[in-house]
Amino acid sequence: GGWWYNELLVDYFQRNETPPAGLRFYETCATLDSARNAGMKTYYLPEQNLYNDQMFGQNCTDSLAAPFVVR
């Protein structure tokens, strides 16, 4: 999510590919929790855990999602 979102979209479009349906900008704790309860795995890009929590005034991203390692 966050500023990475636009960079990812551009990368997909430059390769004439459709971005994954699950690619999201920011999400609330309720949405992250619902995804986890549905058996989905959620990941965040570097530093986006902090910004996701700031966006909604929450403190849950680290406990409901895992870091996605960018190499």
Side-chain angles (χ1 to χ4, degrees):
W3 69 270
W4 288 88
Y5 183 81
N6 291 329
E7 188 172 326
L8 290 170
L9 287 181
V10 168
D11 186 56
Y12 278 103
F13 293 138
Q14 284 178 338
R15 292 183 282 147
N16 291 319
E17 296 178 10
T18 303
L23 186 63
R24 299 285 191 266
F25 195 72
Y26 292 112
E27 288 295 352
T28 64
C29 291
T31 301
L32 293 172
D33 193 43
S34 292
R36 184 179 65 174
N37 290 336
M40 293 183 231
K41 292 184 180 183
T42 305
Y43 299 92
Y44 56 84
L45 291 164
E47 299 179 16
Q48 294 310 303
N49 53 330
L50 302 172
Y51 297 119
N52 190 64
D53 284 344
Q54 284 180 356
M55 178 73 170
F56 299 106
Q58 59 191 17
N59 187 19
C60 68
T61 304
D62 283 328
S63 63
L64 297 173
F68 183 84
V69 179
V70 177
R71 297 171 195 220

